[in-house]
PDB file of all heavy atoms in Angstrom:
ATOM      1  N   GLN A   1     -14.481 -55.412 -33.239  1.00  0.00           N
ATOM      2  CA  GLN A   1     -14.469 -54.688 -31.984  1.00  0.00           C
ATOM      3  C   GLN A   1     -14.315 -53.196 -32.213  1.00  0.00           C
ATOM      4  O   GLN A   1     -15.005 -52.370 -31.594  1.00  0.00           O
ATOM      5  CB  GLN A   1     -13.300 -55.201 -31.102  1.00  0.00           C
ATOM      6  CG  GLN A   1     -13.237 -54.519 -29.743  1.00  0.00           C
ATOM      7  CD  GLN A   1     -12.112 -55.062 -28.888  1.00  0.00           C
ATOM      8  OE1 GLN A   1     -11.477 -56.076 -29.242  1.00  0.00           O
ATOM      9  NE2 GLN A   1     -11.856 -54.412 -27.771  1.00  0.00           N
ATOM     10  N   ILE A   2     -13.446 -52.826 -33.152  1.00  0.00           N
ATOM     11  CA  ILE A   2     -13.253 -51.403 -33.483  1.00  0.00           C
ATOM     12  C   ILE A   2     -14.562 -50.809 -34.016  1.00  0.00           C
ATOM     13  O   ILE A   2     -14.959 -49.702 -33.622  1.00  0.00           O
ATOM     14  CB  ILE A   2     -12.136 -51.254 -34.516  1.00  0.00           C
ATOM     15  CG1 ILE A   2     -10.776 -51.618 -33.907  1.00  0.00           C
ATOM     16  CG2 ILE A   2     -12.092 -49.820 -35.069  1.00  0.00           C
ATOM     17  CD1 ILE A   2      -9.652 -51.700 -34.906  1.00  0.00           C
ATOM     18  N   CYS A   3     -15.256 -51.561 -34.875  1.00  0.00           N
ATOM     19  CA  CYS A   3     -16.501 -51.086 -35.440  1.00  0.00           C
ATOM     20  C   CYS A   3     -17.563 -50.897 -34.362  1.00  0.00           C
ATOM     21  O   CYS A   3     -18.227 -49.869 -34.312  1.00  0.00           O
ATOM     22  CB  CYS A   3     -17.034 -52.075 -36.504  1.00  0.00           C
ATOM     23  SG  CYS A   3     -16.065 -52.138 -38.006  1.00  0.00           S
ATOM     24  N   HIS A   4     -17.704 -51.876 -33.504  1.00  0.00           N
ATOM     25  CA  HIS A   4     -18.764 -51.819 -32.497  1.00  0.00           C
ATOM     26  C   HIS A   4     -18.486 -50.766 -31.430  1.00  0.00           C
ATOM     27  O   HIS A   4     -19.448 -50.191 -30.883  1.00  0.00           O
ATOM     28  CB  HIS A   4     -18.922 -53.187 -31.861  1.00  0.00           C
ATOM     29  CG  HIS A   4     -19.417 -54.242 -32.809  1.00  0.00           C
ATOM     30  ND1 HIS A   4     -19.162 -55.569 -32.659  1.00  0.00           N
ATOM     31  CD2 HIS A   4     -20.140 -54.109 -33.946  1.00  0.00           C
ATOM     32  CE1 HIS A   4     -19.720 -56.230 -33.653  1.00  0.00           C
ATOM     33  NE2 HIS A   4     -20.341 -55.358 -34.453  1.00  0.00           N
ATOM     34  N   GLU A   5     -17.230 -50.480 -31.158  1.00  0.00           N
ATOM     35  CA  GLU A   5     -16.908 -49.391 -30.233  1.00  0.00           C
ATOM     36  C   GLU A   5     -17.370 -48.027 -30.758  1.00  0.00           C
ATOM     37  O   GLU A   5     -17.593 -47.102 -29.991  1.00  0.00           O
ATOM     38  CB  GLU A   5     -15.414 -49.384 -29.951  1.00  0.00           C
ATOM     39  CG  GLU A   5     -14.908 -50.503 -29.071  1.00  0.00           C
ATOM     40  CD  GLU A   5     -13.401 -50.527 -28.968  1.00  0.00           C
ATOM     41  OE1 GLU A   5     -12.734 -49.756 -29.690  1.00  0.00           O
ATOM     42  OE2 GLU A   5     -12.873 -51.319 -28.160  1.00  0.00           O
ATOM     43  N   ARG A   6     -17.530 -47.954 -32.082  1.00  0.00           N
ATOM     44  CA  ARG A   6     -17.932 -46.727 -32.734  1.00  0.00           C
ATOM     45  C   ARG A   6     -19.361 -46.774 -33.264  1.00  0.00           C
ATOM     46  O   ARG A   6     -19.791 -45.922 -34.021  1.00  0.00           O
ATOM     47  CB  ARG A   6     -16.960 -46.385 -33.861  1.00  0.00           C
ATOM     48  CG  ARG A   6     -15.584 -45.975 -33.340  1.00  0.00           C
ATOM     49  CD  ARG A   6     -14.497 -46.150 -34.390  1.00  0.00           C
ATOM     50  NE  ARG A   6     -13.218 -45.675 -33.896  1.00  0.00           N
ATOM     51  CZ  ARG A   6     -12.432 -46.355 -33.050  1.00  0.00           C
ATOM     52  NH1 ARG A   6     -12.826 -47.536 -32.602  1.00  0.00           N
ATOM     53  NH2 ARG A   6     -11.271 -45.844 -32.651  1.00  0.00           N
ATOM     54  N   GLY A   7     -20.102 -47.822 -32.891  1.00  0.00           N
ATOM     55  CA  GLY A   7     -21.490 -47.948 -33.311  1.00  0.00           C
ATOM     56  C   GLY A   7     -21.659 -48.305 -34.769  1.00  0.00           C
ATOM     57  O   GLY A   7     -22.703 -47.973 -35.363  1.00  0.00           O
ATOM     58  N   VAL A   8     -20.666 -48.936 -35.363  1.00  0.00           N
ATOM     59  CA  VAL A   8     -20.703 -49.300 -36.790  1.00  0.00           C
ATOM     60  C   VAL A   8     -20.991 -50.785 -36.941  1.00  0.00           C
ATOM     61  O   VAL A   8     -20.388 -51.609 -36.266  1.00  0.00           O
ATOM     62  CB  VAL A   8     -19.366 -48.965 -37.469  1.00  0.00           C
ATOM     63  CG1 VAL A   8     -19.378 -49.427 -38.933  1.00  0.00           C
ATOM     64  CG2 VAL A   8     -19.084 -47.473 -37.390  1.00  0.00           C
ATOM     65  N   LEU A   9     -21.907 -51.134 -37.832  1.00  0.00           N
ATOM     66  CA  LEU A   9     -22.196 -52.537 -38.094  1.00  0.00           C
ATOM     67  C   LEU A   9     -21.218 -53.061 -39.126  1.00  0.00           C
ATOM     68  O   LEU A   9     -20.786 -52.348 -40.031  1.00  0.00           O
ATOM     69  CB  LEU A   9     -23.625 -52.687 -38.640  1.00  0.00           C
ATOM     70  CG  LEU A   9     -24.757 -52.210 -37.713  1.00  0.00           C
ATOM     71  CD1 LEU A   9     -26.104 -52.423 -38.369  1.00  0.00           C
ATOM     72  CD2 LEU A   9     -24.691 -52.941 -36.378  1.00  0.00           C
ATOM     73  N   LEU A  10     -20.837 -54.352 -38.975  1.00  0.00           N
ATOM     74  CA  LEU A  10     -19.818 -54.932 -39.831  1.00  0.00           C
ATOM     75  C   LEU A  10     -20.368 -56.099 -40.646  1.00  0.00           C
ATOM     76  O   LEU A  10     -20.928 -57.051 -40.093  1.00  0.00           O
ATOM     77  CB  LEU A  10     -18.646 -55.418 -38.990  1.00  0.00           C
ATOM     78  CG  LEU A  10     -17.527 -56.163 -39.737  1.00  0.00           C
ATOM     79  CD1 LEU A  10     -16.839 -55.235 -40.740  1.00  0.00           C
ATOM     80  CD2 LEU A  10     -16.505 -56.737 -38.770  1.00  0.00           C
ATOM     81  N   HIS A  11     -20.198 -56.020 -41.947  1.00  0.00           N
ATOM     82  CA  HIS A  11     -20.495 -57.135 -42.853  1.00  0.00           C
ATOM     83  C   HIS A  11     -19.178 -57.666 -43.414  1.00  0.00           C
ATOM     84  O   HIS A  11     -18.298 -56.880 -43.787  1.00  0.00           O
ATOM     85  CB  HIS A  11     -21.379 -56.696 -44.038  1.00  0.00           C
ATOM     86  CG  HIS A  11     -21.385 -57.695 -45.171  1.00  0.00           C
ATOM     87  ND1 HIS A  11     -20.621 -57.547 -46.290  1.00  0.00           N
ATOM     88  CD2 HIS A  11     -22.053 -58.875 -45.307  1.00  0.00           C
ATOM     89  CE1 HIS A  11     -20.800 -58.570 -47.095  1.00  0.00           C
ATOM     90  NE2 HIS A  11     -21.659 -59.392 -46.523  1.00  0.00           N
ATOM     91  N   THR A  12     -19.027 -58.967 -43.436  1.00  0.00           N
ATOM     92  CA  THR A  12     -17.836 -59.552 -44.059  1.00  0.00           C
ATOM     93  C   THR A  12     -18.230 -60.477 -45.188  1.00  0.00           C
ATOM     94  O   THR A  12     -19.149 -61.290 -45.060  1.00  0.00           O
ATOM     95  CB  THR A  12     -16.971 -60.310 -43.024  1.00  0.00           C
ATOM     96  OG1 THR A  12     -15.768 -60.769 -43.675  1.00  0.00           O
ATOM     97  CG2 THR A  12     -17.693 -61.513 -42.458  1.00  0.00           C
ATOM     98  N   ASP A  13     -17.559 -60.330 -46.320  1.00  0.00           N
ATOM     99  CA  ASP A  13     -17.764 -61.185 -47.481  1.00  0.00           C
ATOM    100  C   ASP A  13     -16.859 -62.407 -47.288  1.00  0.00           C
ATOM    101  O   ASP A  13     -15.650 -62.320 -47.462  1.00  0.00           O
ATOM    102  CB  ASP A  13     -17.415 -60.444 -48.762  1.00  0.00           C
ATOM    103  CG  ASP A  13     -17.529 -61.316 -49.996  1.00  0.00           C
ATOM    104  OD1 ASP A  13     -17.821 -62.517 -49.844  1.00  0.00           O
ATOM    105  OD2 ASP A  13     -17.346 -60.792 -51.107  1.00  0.00           O
ATOM    106  N   ALA A  14     -17.457 -63.521 -46.896  1.00  0.00           N
ATOM    107  CA  ALA A  14     -16.701 -64.733 -46.581  1.00  0.00           C
ATOM    108  C   ALA A  14     -16.673 -65.741 -47.731  1.00  0.00           C
ATOM    109  O   ALA A  14     -16.416 -66.929 -47.520  1.00  0.00           O
ATOM    110  CB  ALA A  14     -17.242 -65.381 -45.323  1.00  0.00           C
ATOM    111  N   THR A  15     -16.967 -65.275 -48.931  1.00  0.00           N
ATOM    112  CA  THR A  15     -17.124 -66.201 -50.063  1.00  0.00           C
ATOM    113  C   THR A  15     -15.863 -67.058 -50.277  1.00  0.00           C
ATOM    114  O   THR A  15     -15.980 -68.240 -50.570  1.00  0.00           O
ATOM    115  CB  THR A  15     -17.421 -65.411 -51.342  1.00  0.00           C
ATOM    116  OG1 THR A  15     -18.725 -64.815 -51.200  1.00  0.00           O
ATOM    117  CG2 THR A  15     -17.440 -66.313 -52.554  1.00  0.00           C
ATOM    118  N   GLN A  16     -14.685 -66.471 -50.131  1.00  0.00           N
ATOM    119  CA  GLN A  16     -13.462 -67.229 -50.386  1.00  0.00           C
ATOM    120  C   GLN A  16     -13.000 -68.013 -49.170  1.00  0.00           C
ATOM    121  O   GLN A  16     -12.051 -68.771 -49.234  1.00  0.00           O
ATOM    122  CB  GLN A  16     -12.338 -66.272 -50.850  1.00  0.00           C
ATOM    123  CG  GLN A  16     -12.577 -65.626 -52.191  1.00  0.00           C
ATOM    124  CD  GLN A  16     -12.429 -66.602 -53.361  1.00  0.00           C
ATOM    125  OE1 GLN A  16     -12.368 -67.801 -53.174  1.00  0.00           O
ATOM    126  NE2 GLN A  16     -12.378 -66.067 -54.548  1.00  0.00           N
ATOM    127  N   ALA A  17     -13.657 -67.833 -48.046  1.00  0.00           N
ATOM    128  CA  ALA A  17     -13.273 -68.547 -46.816  1.00  0.00           C
ATOM    129  C   ALA A  17     -14.258 -69.645 -46.430  1.00  0.00           C
ATOM    130  O   ALA A  17     -13.872 -70.678 -45.882  1.00  0.00           O
ATOM    131  CB  ALA A  17     -13.142 -67.556 -45.662  1.00  0.00           C
ATOM    132  N   PHE A  18     -15.520 -69.438 -46.741  1.00  0.00           N
ATOM    133  CA  PHE A  18     -16.582 -70.374 -46.339  1.00  0.00           C
ATOM    134  C   PHE A  18     -16.332 -71.759 -46.912  1.00  0.00           C
ATOM    135  O   PHE A  18     -16.118 -71.925 -48.121  1.00  0.00           O
ATOM    136  CB  PHE A  18     -17.938 -69.832 -46.833  1.00  0.00           C
ATOM    137  CG  PHE A  18     -19.098 -70.694 -46.446  1.00  0.00           C
ATOM    138  CD1 PHE A  18     -19.582 -70.683 -45.144  1.00  0.00           C
ATOM    139  CD2 PHE A  18     -19.709 -71.536 -47.363  1.00  0.00           C
ATOM    140  CE1 PHE A  18     -20.654 -71.482 -44.775  1.00  0.00           C
ATOM    141  CE2 PHE A  18     -20.762 -72.333 -47.018  1.00  0.00           C
ATOM    142  CZ  PHE A  18     -21.260 -72.313 -45.711  1.00  0.00           C
ATOM    143  N   GLY A  19     -16.342 -72.760 -46.057  1.00  0.00           N
ATOM    144  CA  GLY A  19     -16.128 -74.130 -46.486  1.00  0.00           C
ATOM    145  C   GLY A  19     -14.688 -74.511 -46.690  1.00  0.00           C
ATOM    146  O   GLY A  19     -14.369 -75.660 -47.039  1.00  0.00           O
ATOM    147  N   LYS A  20     -13.780 -73.558 -46.481  1.00  0.00           N
ATOM    148  CA  LYS A  20     -12.355 -73.800 -46.738  1.00  0.00           C
ATOM    149  C   LYS A  20     -11.503 -73.663 -45.471  1.00  0.00           C
ATOM    150  O   LYS A  20     -10.507 -74.342 -45.282  1.00  0.00           O
ATOM    151  CB  LYS A  20     -11.836 -72.865 -47.821  1.00  0.00           C
ATOM    152  CG  LYS A  20     -12.591 -73.029 -49.140  1.00  0.00           C
ATOM    153  CD  LYS A  20     -12.204 -71.947 -50.126  1.00  0.00           C
ATOM    154  CE  LYS A  20     -13.059 -72.072 -51.404  1.00  0.00           C
ATOM    155  NZ  LYS A  20     -12.782 -70.974 -52.340  1.00  0.00           N
ATOM    156  N   ILE A  21     -11.910 -72.721 -44.612  1.00  0.00           N
ATOM    157  CA  ILE A  21     -11.289 -72.566 -43.298  1.00  0.00           C
ATOM    158  C   ILE A  21     -12.395 -72.439 -42.275  1.00  0.00           C
ATOM    159  O   ILE A  21     -13.535 -72.129 -42.613  1.00  0.00           O
ATOM    160  CB  ILE A  21     -10.332 -71.335 -43.225  1.00  0.00           C
ATOM    161  CG1 ILE A  21     -11.118 -70.066 -43.500  1.00  0.00           C
ATOM    162  CG2 ILE A  21      -9.174 -71.492 -44.218  1.00  0.00           C
ATOM    163  CD1 ILE A  21     -10.287 -68.786 -43.343  1.00  0.00           C
ATOM    164  N   GLN A  22     -12.060 -72.659 -41.013  1.00  0.00           N
ATOM    165  CA  GLN A  22     -13.068 -72.600 -39.968  1.00  0.00           C
ATOM    166  C   GLN A  22     -13.587 -71.182 -39.792  1.00  0.00           C
ATOM    167  O   GLN A  22     -12.823 -70.223 -39.764  1.00  0.00           O
ATOM    168  CB  GLN A  22     -12.448 -73.065 -38.634  1.00  0.00           C
ATOM    169  CG  GLN A  22     -12.102 -74.542 -38.613  1.00  0.00           C
ATOM    170  CD  GLN A  22     -13.339 -75.434 -38.615  1.00  0.00           C
ATOM    171  OE1 GLN A  22     -14.450 -75.008 -38.313  1.00  0.00           O
ATOM    172  NE2 GLN A  22     -13.139 -76.702 -38.989  1.00  0.00           N
ATOM    173  N   ILE A  23     -14.916 -71.041 -39.729  1.00  0.00           N
ATOM    174  CA  ILE A  23     -15.549 -69.748 -39.525  1.00  0.00           C
ATOM    175  C   ILE A  23     -16.570 -69.869 -38.381  1.00  0.00           C
ATOM    176  O   ILE A  23     -17.390 -70.769 -38.397  1.00  0.00           O
ATOM    177  CB  ILE A  23     -16.291 -69.266 -40.804  1.00  0.00           C
ATOM    178  CG1 ILE A  23     -15.310 -69.023 -41.941  1.00  0.00           C
ATOM    179  CG2 ILE A  23     -17.099 -68.016 -40.525  1.00  0.00           C
ATOM    180  CD1 ILE A  23     -15.988 -68.632 -43.247  1.00  0.00           C
ATOM    181  N   ASP A  24     -16.458 -68.986 -37.414  1.00  0.00           N
ATOM    182  CA  ASP A  24     -17.397 -68.928 -36.316  1.00  0.00           C
ATOM    183  C   ASP A  24     -17.882 -67.493 -36.197  1.00  0.00           C
ATOM    184  O   ASP A  24     -17.136 -66.617 -35.798  1.00  0.00           O
ATOM    185  CB  ASP A  24     -16.700 -69.361 -35.010  1.00  0.00           C
ATOM    186  CG  ASP A  24     -17.681 -69.471 -33.831  1.00  0.00           C
ATOM    187  OD1 ASP A  24     -18.668 -68.724 -33.799  1.00  0.00           O
ATOM    188  OD2 ASP A  24     -17.442 -70.299 -32.941  1.00  0.00           O
ATOM    189  N   VAL A  25     -19.146 -67.266 -36.575  1.00  0.00           N
ATOM    190  CA  VAL A  25     -19.660 -65.905 -36.616  1.00  0.00           C
ATOM    191  C   VAL A  25     -19.655 -65.264 -35.226  1.00  0.00           C
ATOM    192  O   VAL A  25     -19.513 -64.045 -35.077  1.00  0.00           O
ATOM    193  CB  VAL A  25     -21.054 -65.847 -37.227  1.00  0.00           C
ATOM    194  CG1 VAL A  25     -21.007 -66.170 -38.718  1.00  0.00           C
ATOM    195  CG2 VAL A  25     -22.008 -66.783 -36.503  1.00  0.00           C
ATOM    196  N   LEU A  26     -19.836 -66.089 -34.196  1.00  0.00           N
ATOM    197  CA  LEU A  26     -19.829 -65.529 -32.828  1.00  0.00           C
ATOM    198  C   LEU A  26     -18.421 -65.115 -32.427  1.00  0.00           C
ATOM    199  O   LEU A  26     -18.220 -64.069 -31.809  1.00  0.00           O
ATOM    200  CB  LEU A  26     -20.376 -66.570 -31.850  1.00  0.00           C
ATOM    201  CG  LEU A  26     -21.832 -67.001 -32.092  1.00  0.00           C
ATOM    202  CD1 LEU A  26     -22.243 -68.038 -31.037  1.00  0.00           C
ATOM    203  CD2 LEU A  26     -22.777 -65.811 -32.053  1.00  0.00           C
ATOM    204  N   ASP A  27     -17.443 -65.929 -32.799  1.00  0.00           N
ATOM    205  CA  ASP A  27     -16.063 -65.597 -32.502  1.00  0.00           C
ATOM    206  C   ASP A  27     -15.612 -64.364 -33.273  1.00  0.00           C
ATOM    207  O   ASP A  27     -14.879 -63.504 -32.754  1.00  0.00           O
ATOM    208  CB  ASP A  27     -15.154 -66.795 -32.813  1.00  0.00           C
ATOM    209  CG  ASP A  27     -13.685 -66.496 -32.501  1.00  0.00           C
ATOM    210  OD1 ASP A  27     -13.380 -66.173 -31.334  1.00  0.00           O
ATOM    211  OD2 ASP A  27     -12.854 -66.617 -33.406  1.00  0.00           O
ATOM    212  N   LEU A  28     -16.042 -64.265 -34.541  1.00  0.00           N
ATOM    213  CA  LEU A  28     -15.687 -63.109 -35.376  1.00  0.00           C
ATOM    214  C   LEU A  28     -16.379 -61.823 -34.885  1.00  0.00           C
ATOM    215  O   LEU A  28     -15.846 -60.738 -35.073  1.00  0.00           O
ATOM    216  CB  LEU A  28     -16.043 -63.372 -36.827  1.00  0.00           C
ATOM    217  CG  LEU A  28     -15.227 -64.443 -37.569  1.00  0.00           C
ATOM    218  CD1 LEU A  28     -15.826 -64.677 -38.952  1.00  0.00           C
ATOM    219  CD2 LEU A  28     -13.781 -64.036 -37.682  1.00  0.00           C
ATOM    220  N   GLY A  29     -17.577 -61.992 -34.347  1.00  0.00           N
ATOM    221  CA  GLY A  29     -18.290 -60.822 -33.871  1.00  0.00           C
ATOM    222  C   GLY A  29     -18.929 -60.003 -34.965  1.00  0.00           C
ATOM    223  O   GLY A  29     -19.293 -58.837 -34.754  1.00  0.00           O
ATOM    224  N   VAL A  30     -19.093 -60.586 -36.154  1.00  0.00           N
ATOM    225  CA  VAL A  30     -19.657 -59.845 -37.273  1.00  0.00           C
ATOM    226  C   VAL A  30     -21.176 -59.727 -37.134  1.00  0.00           C
ATOM    227  O   VAL A  30     -21.819 -60.540 -36.495  1.00  0.00           O
ATOM    228  CB  VAL A  30     -19.309 -60.501 -38.626  1.00  0.00           C
ATOM    229  CG1 VAL A  30     -17.807 -60.492 -38.858  1.00  0.00           C
ATOM    230  CG2 VAL A  30     -19.859 -61.912 -38.688  1.00  0.00           C
ATOM    231  N   ASP A  31     -21.736 -58.667 -37.729  1.00  0.00           N
ATOM    232  CA  ASP A  31     -23.180 -58.477 -37.736  1.00  0.00           C
ATOM    233  C   ASP A  31     -23.833 -59.158 -38.925  1.00  0.00           C
ATOM    234  O   ASP A  31     -24.957 -59.620 -38.827  1.00  0.00           O
ATOM    235  CB  ASP A  31     -23.493 -56.976 -37.739  1.00  0.00           C
ATOM    236  CG  ASP A  31     -22.906 -56.274 -36.547  1.00  0.00           C
ATOM    237  OD1 ASP A  31     -23.413 -56.461 -35.430  1.00  0.00           O
ATOM    238  OD2 ASP A  31     -21.916 -55.530 -36.733  1.00  0.00           O
ATOM    239  N   PHE A  32     -23.096 -59.199 -40.043  1.00  0.00           N
ATOM    240  CA  PHE A  32     -23.580 -59.839 -41.246  1.00  0.00           C
ATOM    241  C   PHE A  32     -22.430 -60.624 -41.860  1.00  0.00           C
ATOM    242  O   PHE A  32     -21.268 -60.215 -41.781  1.00  0.00           O
ATOM    243  CB  PHE A  32     -24.088 -58.797 -42.275  1.00  0.00           C
ATOM    244  CG  PHE A  32     -25.078 -57.828 -41.734  1.00  0.00           C
ATOM    245  CD1 PHE A  32     -24.647 -56.610 -41.213  1.00  0.00           C
ATOM    246  CD2 PHE A  32     -26.428 -58.087 -41.769  1.00  0.00           C
ATOM    247  CE1 PHE A  32     -25.552 -55.683 -40.700  1.00  0.00           C
ATOM    248  CE2 PHE A  32     -27.343 -57.182 -41.260  1.00  0.00           C
ATOM    249  CZ  PHE A  32     -26.904 -55.989 -40.734  1.00  0.00           C
ATOM    250  N   LEU A  33     -22.760 -61.761 -42.522  1.00  0.00           N
ATOM    251  CA  LEU A  33     -21.736 -62.537 -43.223  1.00  0.00           C
ATOM    252  C   LEU A  33     -22.399 -63.216 -44.400  1.00  0.00           C
ATOM    253  O   LEU A  33     -23.500 -63.768 -44.288  1.00  0.00           O
ATOM    254  CB  LEU A  33     -21.104 -63.577 -42.292  1.00  0.00           C
ATOM    255  CG  LEU A  33     -20.015 -64.456 -42.884  1.00  0.00           C
ATOM    256  CD1 LEU A  33     -18.920 -64.742 -41.851  1.00  0.00           C
ATOM    257  CD2 LEU A  33     -20.587 -65.789 -43.414  1.00  0.00           C
ATOM    258  N   SER A  34     -21.748 -63.157 -45.552  1.00  0.00           N
ATOM    259  CA  SER A  34     -22.330 -63.750 -46.758  1.00  0.00           C
ATOM    260  C   SER A  34     -21.324 -64.667 -47.443  1.00  0.00           C
ATOM    261  O   SER A  34     -20.117 -64.527 -47.299  1.00  0.00           O
ATOM    262  CB  SER A  34     -22.778 -62.656 -47.740  1.00  0.00           C
ATOM    263  OG  SER A  34     -21.716 -61.791 -48.062  1.00  0.00           O
ATOM    264  N   ALA A  35     -21.864 -65.648 -48.215  1.00  0.00           N
ATOM    265  CA  ALA A  35     -21.014 -66.582 -48.962  1.00  0.00           C
ATOM    266  C   ALA A  35     -21.817 -67.149 -50.105  1.00  0.00           C
ATOM    267  O   ALA A  35     -23.038 -67.077 -50.111  1.00  0.00           O
ATOM    268  CB  ALA A  35     -20.497 -67.694 -48.051  1.00  0.00           C
ATOM    269  N   SER A  36     -21.102 -67.721 -51.101  1.00  0.00           N
ATOM    270  CA  SER A  36     -21.745 -68.244 -52.310  1.00  0.00           C
ATOM    271  C   SER A  36     -21.582 -69.750 -52.399  1.00  0.00           C
ATOM    272  O   SER A  36     -20.542 -70.284 -52.025  1.00  0.00           O
ATOM    273  CB  SER A  36     -21.146 -67.571 -53.546  1.00  0.00           C
ATOM    274  OG  SER A  36     -21.391 -66.183 -53.549  1.00  0.00           O
ATOM    275  N   GLY A  37     -22.577 -70.419 -52.982  1.00  0.00           N
ATOM    276  CA  GLY A  37     -22.564 -71.845 -53.114  1.00  0.00           C
ATOM    277  C   GLY A  37     -21.526 -72.376 -54.085  1.00  0.00           C
ATOM    278  O   GLY A  37     -20.905 -73.417 -53.869  1.00  0.00           O
TER     279      GLY A  37
END
């Protein structure tokens, strides 16, 4: 929210979270999200 209020795009590195805790990209509001197999 802070990023978008300032016109900044947000990428989050979810490698350590993906598949381990619940992730909802819509709820997070991120523009980009990446993870590793």
Side-chain angles (χ1 to χ4, degrees):
Q1 182 178 351
I2 292 171
C3 290
H4 295 154
E5 287 174 352
R6 291 158 176 78
V8 176
L9 300 180
L10 176 64
H11 164 261
T12 184
D13 178 355
T15 294
Q16 293 288 12
F18 182 76
K20 301 171 184 176
I21 61 175
Q22 292 291 342
I23 295 177
D24 186 329
V25 292
L26 298 180
D27 181 57
L28 291 174
V30 297
D31 300 288
F32 308 92
L33 181 143
S34 56
S36 298

